[in-house]
Amino acid sequence: MTNNPPQTAGFEMAGGTLSVVTHDTLPLTSLFGVAERKNPKRAFLFVSKVLGRHIPIAPATMRQTYCQLAAQIPQDLPEPVLFIGMAETAVGLAAGVFQEAKKQLAQPVFLTSTRHPVSGELLCEFKENHSHATDHLIYQPEDAELRSRALNARTLVLVDDEATTGNTFLNLLQALREAGLDEVERVVTVTITDWSNGDIANRSPLPVDEVALVKGRWSWTPRPDAPVPVMPSVNVTASGTSRLSPYQDWGRLGMDETECRIGTHIVAEPGEKVLVLGSGEFVWQPFLLAERLEQQGSDVRFSSLTRSPIATGMAIESVIVFSDNYGLGIPNYVYNVAHQKFDRIIVCVETPAETVCPALLKQLANVAPHVEVLTYE
């Protein structure tokens, strides 16, 4: 803990009061707002302003976050190093941190957890107990060299957008060790905000380095008379009726090198206000597209379709509700878009274009005169 004076913040919600305290100097309001979750297991959500998930933001801001976190990862990690990103919210964050951190490594490999079963050999399953979708799957890398790196990993770098208790990281660590990763001797957790107050390191059977932009602690005081939130049915880990793209090169089946393979034909005009939307877990390739368009001089924002049910208010100014494109029959959402205006919206999916809900496209047409669906084929 630093000797800086504490920063404190309190947030009054329908269900209770959230309080946070940190001794870090980075202004809390620059990193996140808060909102109410439609989830009886946890009533609040930290809504990141640098993640590109629930608030549309510039790709350059996201890249800066990747660089800041990667720079904090220790340089003396035993190799091979296995990076794992948490679906769905931290898939892109983890891939970005991996892309920056692997520059210093000889044997890196990246995997992401998923809630969409694919054709591959399962490595392990674990639970995110407080989540709206608790079950995660992790597959072994398809490539033989990457699979060897993963199975013989001596360091784990586990990436999520935030840690509130650290239980999810510990559940994952236990699942990986039970799956046979018994060479692991060191763990690094990477988050934007870490409110676990050192509990991950204290409870882990292995040495842990905790990397975050802000560390602190939180407390929740519920209102005795608060209504219990009703959570939509989104806790689904299954194959839907929609066909997934055969290109699983961004994390579910292992990743080492990465380049933008989506929308290579798209050219944006200088100053054109463009919103690029990823979808669910499919966000890394769409982010690379958004970053390329931004570098061409366009005014780009990036965000994503998500299954995370959040109430409007506070950090959530608007919401569009529609059916998912995976054929699971569950509600999906896009936040903080409906009240804005763009020249062009590009919706990126890993399923066929016809799987995108017409209700989503109709509502996006109120936001931008040009709306297009881009598939990863």
Side-chain angles (χ1 to χ4, degrees):
M1 184 68 70
T2 68
N3 293 321
N4 298 319
Q7 287 190 76
T8 60
F11 305 92
E12 296 290 336
M13 305 185 196
T17 303
L18 173 66
S19 300
V20 297
V21 59
T22 177
H23 287 263
D24 292 322
T25 58
L26 195 64
L28 296 180
T29 54
S30 70
L31 284 183
F32 66 88
V34 298
E36 303 213 39
R37 295 163 59 119
K38 295 179 180 178
N39 186 340
K41 291 179 284 188
R42 183 173 294 164
F44 61 88
L45 176 74
F46 294 101
V47 181
S48 175
K49 296 180 179 179
V50 299
L51 182 65
R53 169 64 60 165
H54 306 113
I55 298 176
I57 61 170
T61 300
M62 300 169 66
R63 178 63 69 177
Q64 181 181 28
T65 300
Y66 306 155
C67 294
Q68 289 173 324
L69 289 170
Q72 293 187 48
I73 295 175
Q75 299 293 304
D76 60 343
L77 300 179
E79 297 197 49
V81 180
L82 170 59
F83 290 71
I84 297 180
M86 302 288 195
E88 66 178 7
T89 304
V91 167
L93 172 69
V97 170
F98 172 76
Q99 189 181 50
E100 295 298 329
K102 77 182 186 68
K103 298 172 184 177
Q104 311 299 325
L105 298 169
Q107 300 181 72
V109 57
F110 175 78
L111 287 172
T112 176
S113 73
T114 183
R115 298 182 178 107
H116 297 284
V118 294
S119 179
E121 188 172 345
L122 197 64
L123 176 61
C124 70
E125 303 177 49
F126 69 99
K127 287 189 178 293
E128 184 180 3
N129 296 324
H130 69 274
S131 177
H132 54 277
T134 58
D135 298 332
H136 290 252
L137 308 174
I138 295 182
Y139 287 87
Q140 295 189 26
E142 207 168 28
D143 177 82
E145 171 60 27
L146 297 187
R147 177 180 292 210
S148 176
R149 292 180 190 179
L151 297 180
N152 295 289
R154 295 173 60 203
T155 298
L156 296 176
V157 179
L158 310 180
V159 186
D160 208 350
D161 59 313
E162 52 94 9
T164 45
T165 64
N167 286 337
T168 304
F169 281 139
L170 293 169
N171 289 349
L172 173 55
L173 176 58
Q174 180 180 347
L176 290 169
R177 297 180 83 197
E178 291 176 352
L181 271 67
D182 48 19
E183 299 296 319
V184 176
E185 56 193 81
R186 194 166 174 185
V187 178
V188 181
T189 62
V190 179
T191 55
I192 297 171
T193 51
D194 185 346
W195 308 111
S196 63
N197 202 28
D199 280 357
I200 302 171
N202 292 338
R203 295 160 56 198
S204 170
L206 297 173
V208 175
D209 295 280
E210 296 170 330
V211 169
L213 297 185
V214 165
K215 298 178 183 178
R217 61 184 185 276
W218 62 272
S219 62
W220 172 254
T221 306
R223 298 190 194 284
D225 57 346
V228 177
V230 177
M231 185 172 68
S233 181
V234 295
N235 188 13
V236 179
T237 301
S239 298
T241 58
S242 302
R243 176 180 56 84
L244 295 183
S245 166
Y247 300 126
Q248 296 292 315
D249 57 354
W250 47 263
R252 284 198 192 114
L253 293 176
M255 182 173 78
D256 181 12
E257 297 296 331
T258 184
E259 60 183 33
C260 183
R261 291 184 46 173
I262 191 170
T264 54
H265 63 287
I266 292 178
V267 177
E269 298 296 326
E272 184 179 8
K273 193 171 183 182
V274 180
L275 173 65
V276 177
L277 291 172
S279 49
E281 296 171 13
F282 183 60
V283 293
W284 178 237
Q285 282 288 334
F287 163 76
L288 293 175
L289 168 62
E291 187 174 50
R292 180 175 67 79
L293 297 179
E294 182 183 51
Q295 291 167 353
Q296 290 178 351
S298 301
D299 181 10
V300 183
R301 296 294 180 271
F302 183 84
S303 193
S304 183
L305 319 180
T306 176
R307 67 168 71 184
S308 179
I310 313 172
T312 53
M314 304 184 77
I316 304 297
E317 296 185 54
S318 64
V319 60
I320 296 173
V321 185
F322 52 97
S323 295
D324 78 285
N325 59 293
Y326 290 95
L328 294 169
I330 62 176
N332 269 206
Y333 313 89
V334 60
Y335 296 105
N336 289 315
V337 167
H339 67 284
Q340 300 199 57
K341 292 295 180 184
F342 295 91
D343 299 319
R344 183 180 188 182
I345 297 177
I346 304 171
V347 182
C348 303
V349 294
E350 58 173 335
T351 54
E354 61 269 20
T355 64
V356 177
C357 181
L360 168 64
L361 299 179
K362 182 178 180 180
Q363 293 181 80
L364 291 179
N366 296 325
V367 179
H370 302 288
V371 178
E372 57 196 292
V373 175
L374 190 63
T375 62
Y376 193 45
E377 290 292 341

